[in-house]
Amino acid sequence: TYVVERILDIRKNEDGEEEYLVQWEGYDELHNSWEPADSFVDSHSLKRLVKAYHASKEEENAKASKKREREQVDEDNDDDVVA
């Protein structure tokens, strides 16, 4: 059996079923693969991995939002500079 290290992405296939881009433990990114839900042996592990995926995406979005806010403040401050 192969062990999933983490889920990198989620998409819907042409039938509307979710597929998961899987990073395999002990393998490099060349071996990442899209897998349907039924290829996971343990549904509880799949739920845990999906939850971790969504949490990491939320964290990425929060960081990107804070970065945009800082950039906007910097732009606003630049507008105040008089030459």
Side-chain angles (χ1 to χ4, degrees), residues 31-61:
H31 293 91
N32 295 351
S33 60
W34 287 100
E35 302 294 333
D38 62 3
S39 69
F40 291 81
V41 176
D42 179 8
S43 64
H44 295 292
S45 293
L46 175 58
K47 288 178 185 176
R48 180 181 49 78
L49 289 162
V50 168
K51 186 175 182 178
Y53 165 79
H54 287 298
S56 72
K57 286 296 177 188
E58 287 177 14
E59 185 176 324
E60 282 179 27
N61 291 340

